[in-house]
mmCIF file of all heavy atoms in Angstrom:
data_model
loop_
_atom_site.group_PDB
_atom_site.id
_atom_site.type_symbol
_atom_site.label_atom_id
_atom_site.label_comp_id
_atom_site.label_asym_id
_atom_site.label_seq_id
_atom_site.Cartn_x
_atom_site.Cartn_y
_atom_site.Cartn_z
ATOM 1 N N LYS A 1 0.812 -1.215 0.000
ATOM 2 C CA LYS A 1 0.000 0.000 0.000
ATOM 3 C C LYS A 1 0.848 1.269 0.000
ATOM 4 O O LYS A 1 0.487 2.243 -0.645
ATOM 5 C CB LYS A 1 -0.927 -0.010 1.203
ATOM 6 C CG LYS A 1 -1.897 1.126 1.232
ATOM 7 C CD LYS A 1 -2.851 1.011 2.382
ATOM 8 C CE LYS A 1 -3.819 2.184 2.370
ATOM 9 N NZ LYS A 1 -4.735 2.138 3.487
ATOM 10 N N ASP A 2 1.965 1.259 0.716
ATOM 11 C CA ASP A 2 2.762 2.481 0.823
ATOM 12 C C ASP A 2 4.226 2.301 0.426
ATOM 13 O O ASP A 2 5.056 3.163 0.689
ATOM 14 C CB ASP A 2 2.675 3.046 2.239
ATOM 15 C CG ASP A 2 3.266 2.098 3.276
ATOM 16 O OD1 ASP A 2 3.463 0.910 2.954
ATOM 17 O OD2 ASP A 2 3.519 2.541 4.406
ATOM 18 N N ARG A 3 4.576 1.200 -0.225
ATOM 19 C CA ARG A 3 5.964 0.962 -0.643
ATOM 20 C C ARG A 3 6.053 0.773 -2.151
ATOM 21 O O ARG A 3 5.263 0.050 -2.739
ATOM 22 C CB ARG A 3 6.521 -0.288 0.024
ATOM 23 C CG ARG A 3 6.534 -0.195 1.514
ATOM 24 C CD ARG A 3 7.926 -0.396 2.012
ATOM 25 N NE ARG A 3 7.922 -0.374 3.456
ATOM 26 C CZ ARG A 3 8.723 0.403 4.136
ATOM 27 N NH1 ARG A 3 9.578 1.162 3.531
ATOM 28 N NH2 ARG A 3 8.681 0.400 5.450
ATOM 29 N N VAL A 4 7.039 1.434 -2.737
ATOM 30 C CA VAL A 4 7.275 1.368 -4.175
ATOM 31 C C VAL A 4 8.762 1.112 -4.398
ATOM 32 O O VAL A 4 9.608 1.685 -3.713
ATOM 33 C CB VAL A 4 6.861 2.698 -4.857
ATOM 34 C CG1 VAL A 4 7.163 2.664 -6.333
ATOM 35 C CG2 VAL A 4 5.386 2.977 -4.618
ATOM 36 N N ILE A 5 9.093 0.236 -5.344
ATOM 37 C CA ILE A 5 10.478 -0.061 -5.689
ATOM 38 C C ILE A 5 10.751 0.457 -7.097
ATOM 39 O O ILE A 5 10.014 0.137 -8.029
ATOM 40 C CB ILE A 5 10.770 -1.579 -5.647
ATOM 41 C CG1 ILE A 5 10.519 -2.138 -4.257
ATOM 42 C CG2 ILE A 5 12.189 -1.866 -6.105
ATOM 43 C CD1 ILE A 5 11.488 -1.676 -3.200
ATOM 44 N N VAL A 6 11.807 1.249 -7.235
ATOM 45 C CA VAL A 6 12.231 1.753 -8.542
ATOM 46 C C VAL A 6 13.486 0.995 -8.933
ATOM 47 O O VAL A 6 14.426 0.892 -8.149
ATOM 48 C CB VAL A 6 12.524 3.263 -8.489
ATOM 49 C CG1 VAL A 6 13.094 3.743 -9.812
ATOM 50 C CG2 VAL A 6 11.271 4.027 -8.131
ATOM 51 N N ARG A 7 13.488 0.469 -10.147
ATOM 52 C CA ARG A 7 14.665 -0.236 -10.653
ATOM 53 C C ARG A 7 15.255 0.542 -11.810
ATOM 54 O O ARG A 7 14.589 0.807 -12.801
ATOM 55 C CB ARG A 7 14.313 -1.637 -11.103
ATOM 56 C CG ARG A 7 13.991 -2.516 -9.937
ATOM 57 C CD ARG A 7 13.881 -3.942 -10.332
ATOM 58 N NE ARG A 7 13.552 -4.710 -9.144
ATOM 59 C CZ ARG A 7 13.098 -5.920 -9.169
ATOM 60 N NH1 ARG A 7 12.919 -6.523 -10.313
ATOM 61 N NH2 ARG A 7 12.824 -6.550 -8.054
ATOM 62 N N LEU A 8 16.509 0.911 -11.655
ATOM 63 C CA LEU A 8 17.318 1.474 -12.719
ATOM 64 C C LEU A 8 18.347 0.413 -13.052
ATOM 65 O O LEU A 8 18.493 -0.557 -12.322
ATOM 66 C CB LEU A 8 17.994 2.765 -12.266
ATOM 67 C CG LEU A 8 17.049 3.889 -11.846
ATOM 68 C CD1 LEU A 8 17.825 4.981 -11.151
ATOM 69 C CD2 LEU A 8 16.326 4.436 -13.046
ATOM 70 N N LYS A 9 19.083 0.588 -14.072
ATOM 71 C CA LYS A 9 20.033 -0.419 -14.572
ATOM 72 C C LYS A 9 20.546 -1.382 -13.499
ATOM 73 O O LYS A 9 20.204 -2.547 -13.506
ATOM 74 C CB LYS A 9 21.194 0.301 -15.245
ATOM 75 C CG LYS A 9 22.102 -0.605 -16.004
ATOM 76 C CD LYS A 9 23.117 0.206 -16.765
ATOM 77 C CE LYS A 9 23.999 -0.707 -17.572
ATOM 78 N NZ LYS A 9 24.956 0.044 -18.350
ATOM 79 N N ASN A 10 21.342 -0.932 -12.559
ATOM 80 C CA ASN A 10 21.883 -1.813 -11.518
ATOM 81 C C ASN A 10 21.443 -1.418 -10.114
ATOM 82 O O ASN A 10 21.911 -1.969 -9.138
ATOM 83 C CB ASN A 10 23.411 -1.826 -11.566
ATOM 84 C CG ASN A 10 23.934 -2.458 -12.826
ATOM 85 O OD1 ASN A 10 23.364 -3.422 -13.326
ATOM 86 N ND2 ASN A 10 25.013 -1.924 -13.354
ATOM 87 N N ASP A 11 20.554 -0.455 -10.010
ATOM 88 C CA ASP A 11 20.138 0.058 -8.707
ATOM 89 C C ASP A 11 18.675 -0.237 -8.439
ATOM 90 O O ASP A 11 17.857 -0.235 -9.346
ATOM 91 C CB ASP A 11 20.325 1.581 -8.639
ATOM 92 C CG ASP A 11 21.776 2.008 -8.709
ATOM 93 O OD1 ASP A 11 22.625 1.264 -8.193
ATOM 94 O OD2 ASP A 11 22.045 3.074 -9.277
ATOM 95 N N GLN A 12 18.371 -0.480 -7.167
ATOM 96 C CA GLN A 12 16.997 -0.560 -6.690
ATOM 97 C C GLN A 12 16.845 0.509 -5.622
ATOM 98 O O GLN A 12 17.631 0.562 -4.682
ATOM 99 C CB GLN A 12 16.687 -1.917 -6.084
ATOM 100 C CG GLN A 12 16.482 -3.001 -7.083
ATOM 101 C CD GLN A 12 15.914 -4.249 -6.437
ATOM 102 O OE1 GLN A 12 15.551 -4.245 -5.273
ATOM 103 N NE2 GLN A 12 15.839 -5.316 -7.190
ATOM 104 N N ILE A 13 15.845 1.353 -5.782
ATOM 105 C CA ILE A 13 15.639 2.451 -4.848
ATOM 106 C C ILE A 13 14.250 2.304 -4.240
ATOM 107 O O ILE A 13 13.244 2.413 -4.947
ATOM 108 C CB ILE A 13 15.750 3.806 -5.566
ATOM 109 C CG1 ILE A 13 17.064 3.889 -6.336
ATOM 110 C CG2 ILE A 13 15.631 4.953 -4.576
ATOM 111 C CD1 ILE A 13 17.098 4.955 -7.370
ATOM 112 N N PRO A 14 14.164 2.060 -2.928
ATOM 113 C CA PRO A 14 12.853 1.964 -2.286
ATOM 114 C C PRO A 14 12.286 3.359 -1.989
ATOM 115 O O PRO A 14 13.020 4.266 -1.595
ATOM 116 C CB PRO A 14 13.133 1.199 -0.999
ATOM 117 C CG PRO A 14 14.572 1.455 -0.716
ATOM 118 C CD PRO A 14 15.247 1.698 -2.025
ATOM 119 N N PHE A 15 10.995 3.523 -2.217
ATOM 120 C CA PHE A 15 10.289 4.759 -1.898
ATOM 121 C C PHE A 15 9.127 4.431 -0.985
ATOM 122 O O PHE A 15 8.577 3.339 -1.031
ATOM 123 C CB PHE A 15 9.724 5.408 -3.166
ATOM 124 C CG PHE A 15 10.716 6.180 -3.976
ATOM 125 C CD1 PHE A 15 11.569 5.542 -4.846
ATOM 126 C CD2 PHE A 15 10.778 7.560 -3.885
ATOM 127 C CE1 PHE A 15 12.475 6.245 -5.614
ATOM 128 C CE2 PHE A 15 11.669 8.283 -4.646
ATOM 129 C CZ PHE A 15 12.527 7.638 -5.513
ATOM 130 N N ILE A 16 8.748 5.396 -0.155
ATOM 131 C CA ILE A 16 7.567 5.288 0.696
ATOM 132 C C ILE A 16 6.610 6.393 0.285
ATOM 133 O O ILE A 16 7.025 7.524 0.037
ATOM 134 C CB ILE A 16 7.932 5.441 2.186
ATOM 135 C CG1 ILE A 16 8.783 4.269 2.644
ATOM 136 C CG2 ILE A 16 6.684 5.541 3.043
ATOM 137 C CD1 ILE A 16 9.210 4.352 4.089
ATOM 138 N N LEU A 17 5.330 6.062 0.196
ATOM 139 C CA LEU A 17 4.304 7.070 -0.077
ATOM 140 C C LEU A 17 3.789 7.597 1.256
ATOM 141 O O LEU A 17 3.211 6.861 2.043
ATOM 142 C CB LEU A 17 3.160 6.461 -0.883
ATOM 143 C CG LEU A 17 3.498 6.042 -2.296
ATOM 144 C CD1 LEU A 17 2.337 5.270 -2.899
ATOM 145 C CD2 LEU A 17 3.829 7.242 -3.141
ATOM 146 N N LYS A 18 4.039 8.875 1.507
ATOM 147 C CA LYS A 18 3.556 9.522 2.727
ATOM 148 C C LYS A 18 2.591 10.616 2.324
ATOM 149 O O LYS A 18 2.985 11.572 1.657
ATOM 150 C CB LYS A 18 4.720 10.146 3.506
ATOM 151 C CG LYS A 18 5.655 9.152 4.126
ATOM 152 C CD LYS A 18 6.719 9.875 4.923
ATOM 153 C CE LYS A 18 7.698 8.896 5.527
ATOM 154 N NZ LYS A 18 8.763 9.569 6.247
ATOM 155 N N GLU A 19 1.335 10.468 2.703
ATOM 156 C CA GLU A 19 0.292 11.442 2.405
ATOM 157 C C GLU A 19 0.242 11.778 0.916
ATOM 158 O O GLU A 19 0.124 12.933 0.519
ATOM 159 C CB GLU A 19 0.496 12.703 3.238
ATOM 160 C CG GLU A 19 0.429 12.443 4.729
ATOM 161 C CD GLU A 19 0.783 13.664 5.553
ATOM 162 O OE1 GLU A 19 1.022 14.745 4.982
ATOM 163 O OE2 GLU A 19 0.830 13.531 6.777
ATOM 164 N N GLY A 20 0.412 10.761 0.065
ATOM 165 C CA GLY A 20 0.325 10.939 -1.371
ATOM 166 C C GLY A 20 1.600 11.428 -2.038
ATOM 167 O O GLY A 20 1.642 11.595 -3.239
ATOM 168 N N GLU A 21 2.662 11.659 -1.273
ATOM 169 C CA GLU A 21 3.936 12.122 -1.819
ATOM 170 C C GLU A 21 4.972 11.009 -1.711
ATOM 171 O O GLU A 21 5.044 10.313 -0.702
ATOM 172 C CB GLU A 21 4.448 13.342 -1.043
ATOM 173 C CG GLU A 21 3.577 14.563 -1.183
ATOM 174 C CD GLU A 21 3.724 15.230 -2.537
ATOM 175 O OE1 GLU A 21 4.849 15.250 -3.071
ATOM 176 O OE2 GLU A 21 2.716 15.714 -3.052
ATOM 177 N N ALA A 22 5.802 10.858 -2.739
ATOM 178 C CA ALA A 22 6.844 9.833 -2.753
ATOM 179 C C ALA A 22 8.119 10.377 -2.109
ATOM 180 O O ALA A 22 8.578 11.465 -2.441
ATOM 181 C CB ALA A 22 7.141 9.404 -4.178
ATOM 182 N N GLU A 23 8.678 9.611 -1.184
ATOM 183 C CA GLU A 23 9.939 9.966 -0.534
ATOM 184 C C GLU A 23 10.882 8.768 -0.597
ATOM 185 O O GLU A 23 10.501 7.659 -0.227
ATOM 186 C CB GLU A 23 9.711 10.336 0.932
ATOM 187 C CG GLU A 23 8.950 11.636 1.128
ATOM 188 C CD GLU A 23 9.700 12.836 0.586
ATOM 189 O OE1 GLU A 23 10.946 12.861 0.671
ATOM 190 O OE2 GLU A 23 9.036 13.750 0.081
ATOM 191 N N PRO A 24 12.119 8.966 -1.060
ATOM 192 C CA PRO A 24 13.060 7.843 -1.130
ATOM 193 C C PRO A 24 13.521 7.417 0.268
ATOM 194 O O PRO A 24 13.729 8.260 1.137
ATOM 195 C CB PRO A 24 14.224 8.397 -1.943
ATOM 196 C CG PRO A 24 14.153 9.869 -1.748
ATOM 197 C CD PRO A 24 12.705 10.195 -1.557
ATOM 198 N N VAL A 25 13.654 6.113 0.469
ATOM 199 C CA VAL A 25 14.171 5.591 1.734
ATOM 200 C C VAL A 25 15.690 5.755 1.748
ATOM 201 O O VAL A 25 16.264 6.241 2.714
ATOM 202 C CB VAL A 25 13.774 4.110 1.927
ATOM 203 C CG1 VAL A 25 14.397 3.534 3.175
ATOM 204 C CG2 VAL A 25 12.266 3.973 1.962
ATOM 205 N N THR A 26 16.341 5.349 0.667
ATOM 206 C CA THR A 26 17.784 5.539 0.490
ATOM 207 C C THR A 26 18.025 6.024 -0.937
ATOM 208 O O THR A 26 17.264 5.694 -1.841
ATOM 209 C CB THR A 26 18.576 4.236 0.696
ATOM 210 O OG1 THR A 26 18.113 3.272 -0.253
ATOM 211 C CG2 THR A 26 18.410 3.688 2.100
ATOM 212 N N VAL A 27 19.075 6.799 -1.107
ATOM 213 C CA VAL A 27 19.407 7.313 -2.435
ATOM 214 C C VAL A 27 20.845 6.919 -2.756
ATOM 215 O O VAL A 27 21.763 7.295 -2.028
ATOM 216 C CB VAL A 27 19.269 8.851 -2.484
ATOM 217 C CG1 VAL A 27 19.639 9.380 -3.852
ATOM 218 C CG2 VAL A 27 17.863 9.275 -2.113
ATOM 219 N N PRO A 28 21.051 6.141 -3.823
ATOM 220 C CA PRO A 28 22.421 5.779 -4.189
ATOM 221 C C PRO A 28 23.195 7.012 -4.675
ATOM 222 O O PRO A 28 22.597 7.932 -5.238
ATOM 223 C CB PRO A 28 22.259 4.766 -5.317
ATOM 224 C CG PRO A 28 20.877 4.940 -5.813
ATOM 225 C CD PRO A 28 20.070 5.541 -4.713
ATOM 226 N N PRO A 29 24.504 7.043 -4.441
ATOM 227 C CA PRO A 29 25.299 8.208 -4.845
ATOM 228 C C PRO A 29 25.331 8.438 -6.355
ATOM 229 O O PRO A 29 25.595 9.549 -6.808
ATOM 230 C CB PRO A 29 26.701 7.909 -4.312
ATOM 231 C CG PRO A 29 26.704 6.487 -3.926
ATOM 232 C CD PRO A 29 25.291 6.046 -3.757
ATOM 233 N N SER A 30 25.038 7.411 -7.134
ATOM 234 C CA SER A 30 25.071 7.543 -8.595
ATOM 235 C C SER A 30 23.831 8.255 -9.151
ATOM 236 O O SER A 30 23.779 8.572 -10.329
ATOM 237 C CB SER A 30 25.188 6.164 -9.237
ATOM 238 O OG SER A 30 24.068 5.374 -8.893
ATOM 239 N N LEU A 31 22.846 8.533 -8.318
ATOM 240 C CA LEU A 31 21.596 9.139 -8.767
ATOM 241 C C LEU A 31 21.679 10.660 -8.646
ATOM 242 O O LEU A 31 21.924 11.187 -7.570
ATOM 243 C CB LEU A 31 20.441 8.612 -7.919
ATOM 244 C CG LEU A 31 19.036 8.924 -8.390
ATOM 245 C CD1 LEU A 31 18.754 8.206 -9.706
ATOM 246 C CD2 LEU A 31 18.033 8.507 -7.361
ATOM 247 N N ASP A 32 21.487 11.368 -9.765
ATOM 248 C CA ASP A 32 21.547 12.832 -9.715
ATOM 249 C C ASP A 32 20.200 13.417 -9.295
ATOM 250 O O ASP A 32 19.165 12.752 -9.327
ATOM 251 C CB ASP A 32 22.025 13.417 -11.041
ATOM 252 C CG ASP A 32 21.085 13.140 -12.202
ATOM 253 O OD1 ASP A 32 20.015 12.535 -11.978
ATOM 254 O OD2 ASP A 32 21.424 13.519 -13.324
ATOM 255 N N ASN A 33 20.218 14.677 -8.872
ATOM 256 C CA ASN A 33 19.021 15.325 -8.325
ATOM 257 C C ASN A 33 17.903 15.455 -9.349
ATOM 258 O O ASN A 33 16.728 15.334 -9.003
ATOM 259 C CB ASN A 33 19.369 16.706 -7.773
ATOM 260 C CG ASN A 33 20.092 16.614 -6.451
ATOM 261 O OD1 ASN A 33 19.980 15.618 -5.751
ATOM 262 N ND2 ASN A 33 20.836 17.644 -6.114
ATOM 263 N N GLN A 34 18.243 15.703 -10.603
ATOM 264 C CA GLN A 34 17.212 15.860 -11.626
ATOM 265 C C GLN A 34 16.456 14.552 -11.846
ATOM 266 O O GLN A 34 15.224 14.547 -11.913
ATOM 267 C CB GLN A 34 17.829 16.330 -12.936
ATOM 268 C CG GLN A 34 16.791 16.625 -13.998
ATOM 269 C CD GLN A 34 17.405 17.151 -15.279
ATOM 270 O OE1 GLN A 34 18.615 17.089 -15.456
ATOM 271 N NE2 GLN A 34 16.578 17.646 -16.166
ATOM 272 N N LEU A 35 17.180 13.441 -11.912
ATOM 273 C CA LEU A 35 16.537 12.139 -12.075
ATOM 274 C C LEU A 35 15.686 11.805 -10.852
ATOM 275 O O LEU A 35 14.569 11.294 -10.980
ATOM 276 C CB LEU A 35 17.580 11.054 -12.328
ATOM 277 C CG LEU A 35 17.051 9.652 -12.595
ATOM 278 C CD1 LEU A 35 16.124 9.629 -13.800
ATOM 279 C CD2 LEU A 35 18.201 8.691 -12.818
ATOM 280 N N LEU A 36 16.183 12.107 -9.665
ATOM 281 C CA LEU A 36 15.426 11.863 -8.441
ATOM 282 C C LEU A 36 14.116 12.656 -8.447
ATOM 283 O O LEU A 36 13.057 12.132 -8.098
ATOM 284 C CB LEU A 36 16.262 12.226 -7.217
ATOM 285 C CG LEU A 36 15.600 11.992 -5.868
ATOM 286 C CD1 LEU A 36 15.280 10.519 -5.659
ATOM 287 C CD2 LEU A 36 16.485 12.505 -4.754
ATOM 288 N N THR A 37 14.166 13.893 -8.891
ATOM 289 C CA THR A 37 12.967 14.720 -8.974
ATOM 290 C C THR A 37 11.957 14.116 -9.940
ATOM 291 O O THR A 37 10.759 14.041 -9.643
ATOM 292 C CB THR A 37 13.329 16.152 -9.425
ATOM 293 O OG1 THR A 37 14.251 16.698 -8.484
ATOM 294 C CG2 THR A 37 12.099 17.031 -9.505
ATOM 295 N N HIS A 38 12.419 13.653 -11.091
ATOM 296 C CA HIS A 38 11.520 13.026 -12.071
ATOM 297 C C HIS A 38 10.923 11.731 -11.524
ATOM 298 O O HIS A 38 9.736 11.453 -11.744
ATOM 299 C CB HIS A 38 12.253 12.747 -13.377
ATOM 300 C CG HIS A 38 12.556 13.973 -14.162
ATOM 301 N ND1 HIS A 38 11.594 14.831 -14.639
ATOM 302 C CD2 HIS A 38 13.732 14.500 -14.554
ATOM 303 C CE1 HIS A 38 12.145 15.817 -15.297
ATOM 304 N NE2 HIS A 38 13.454 15.651 -15.258
ATOM 305 N N LEU A 39 11.719 10.947 -10.818
ATOM 306 C CA LEU A 39 11.209 9.699 -10.230
ATOM 307 C C LEU A 39 10.144 9.993 -9.176
ATOM 308 O O LEU A 39 9.103 9.331 -9.139
ATOM 309 C CB LEU A 39 12.344 8.889 -9.620
ATOM 310 C CG LEU A 39 13.308 8.236 -10.599
ATOM 311 C CD1 LEU A 39 14.465 7.608 -9.842
ATOM 312 C CD2 LEU A 39 12.604 7.200 -11.454
ATOM 313 N N LYS A 40 10.407 10.966 -8.316
ATOM 314 C CA LYS A 40 9.432 11.319 -7.278
ATOM 315 C C LYS A 40 8.122 11.785 -7.905
ATOM 316 O O LYS A 40 7.040 11.414 -7.456
ATOM 317 C CB LYS A 40 10.004 12.402 -6.362
ATOM 318 C CG LYS A 40 11.063 11.877 -5.423
ATOM 319 C CD LYS A 40 11.826 12.958 -4.714
ATOM 320 C CE LYS A 40 11.018 13.751 -3.757
ATOM 321 N NZ LYS A 40 11.852 14.688 -2.964
ATOM 322 N N TRP A 41 8.212 12.572 -8.988
ATOM 323 C CA TRP A 41 7.006 13.041 -9.659
ATOM 324 C C TRP A 41 6.240 11.865 -10.259
ATOM 325 O O TRP A 41 5.022 11.779 -10.117
ATOM 326 C CB TRP A 41 7.361 14.044 -10.763
ATOM 327 C CG TRP A 41 6.134 14.527 -11.451
ATOM 328 C CD1 TRP A 41 5.363 15.587 -11.088
ATOM 329 C CD2 TRP A 41 5.495 13.930 -12.587
ATOM 330 N NE1 TRP A 41 4.290 15.697 -11.941
ATOM 331 C CE2 TRP A 41 4.343 14.695 -12.868
ATOM 332 C CE3 TRP A 41 5.786 12.837 -13.384
ATOM 333 C CZ2 TRP A 41 3.489 14.386 -13.922
ATOM 334 C CZ3 TRP A 41 4.922 12.536 -14.433
ATOM 335 C CH2 TRP A 41 3.796 13.305 -14.694
ATOM 336 N N ALA A 42 6.963 10.954 -10.939
ATOM 337 C CA ALA A 42 6.304 9.819 -11.587
ATOM 338 C C ALA A 42 5.611 8.927 -10.565
ATOM 339 O O ALA A 42 4.467 8.507 -10.770
ATOM 340 C CB ALA A 42 7.322 9.010 -12.392
ATOM 341 N N ILE A 43 6.275 8.638 -9.460
ATOM 342 C CA ILE A 43 5.674 7.784 -8.430
ATOM 343 C C ILE A 43 4.463 8.466 -7.821
ATOM 344 O O ILE A 43 3.407 7.847 -7.640
ATOM 345 C CB ILE A 43 6.712 7.428 -7.343
ATOM 346 C CG1 ILE A 43 7.808 6.548 -7.939
ATOM 347 C CG2 ILE A 43 6.046 6.729 -6.169
ATOM 348 C CD1 ILE A 43 9.006 6.394 -7.047
ATOM 349 N N THR A 44 4.590 9.748 -7.502
ATOM 350 C CA THR A 44 3.464 10.488 -6.931
ATOM 351 C C THR A 44 2.300 10.526 -7.914
ATOM 352 O O THR A 44 1.144 10.332 -7.541
ATOM 353 C CB THR A 44 3.893 11.914 -6.554
ATOM 354 O OG1 THR A 44 4.950 11.829 -5.591
ATOM 355 C CG2 THR A 44 2.742 12.694 -5.964
ATOM 356 N N HIS A 45 2.605 10.738 -9.189
ATOM 357 C CA HIS A 45 1.559 10.827 -10.205
ATOM 358 C C HIS A 45 0.829 9.491 -10.397
ATOM 359 O O HIS A 45 -0.401 9.455 -10.460
ATOM 360 C CB HIS A 45 2.176 11.271 -11.525
ATOM 361 C CG HIS A 45 1.209 11.343 -12.651
ATOM 362 N ND1 HIS A 45 0.266 12.357 -12.755
ATOM 363 C CD2 HIS A 45 1.001 10.540 -13.712
ATOM 364 C CE1 HIS A 45 -0.455 12.153 -13.845
ATOM 365 N NE2 HIS A 45 -0.030 11.058 -14.439
ATOM 366 N N TYR A 46 1.582 8.397 -10.486
ATOM 367 C CA TYR A 46 0.971 7.097 -10.778
ATOM 368 C C TYR A 46 0.448 6.360 -9.542
ATOM 369 O O TYR A 46 -0.508 5.615 -9.636
ATOM 370 C CB TYR A 46 1.953 6.200 -11.521
ATOM 371 C CG TYR A 46 2.181 6.627 -12.935
ATOM 372 C CD1 TYR A 46 3.418 7.117 -13.341
ATOM 373 C CD2 TYR A 46 1.168 6.555 -13.886
ATOM 374 C CE1 TYR A 46 3.628 7.525 -14.644
ATOM 375 C CE2 TYR A 46 1.371 6.966 -15.190
ATOM 376 C CZ TYR A 46 2.607 7.444 -15.554
ATOM 377 O OH TYR A 46 2.817 7.852 -16.841
#
C-alpha cells in the first residue's frame, strides 16, 4: 500500500508514499538530483 520499488540499470531504490507524496528511503550516490525529482514526480503521479 505504501511501498514502491524503482529499478534502474543496476540500482533498486525503495520509496515510501507519505500522504500521497513519494519519498526515497535511500538514495544511491550515482543518482543525480534531476533524475530523483523526475522519479518522485512519476511515483506520486501514478
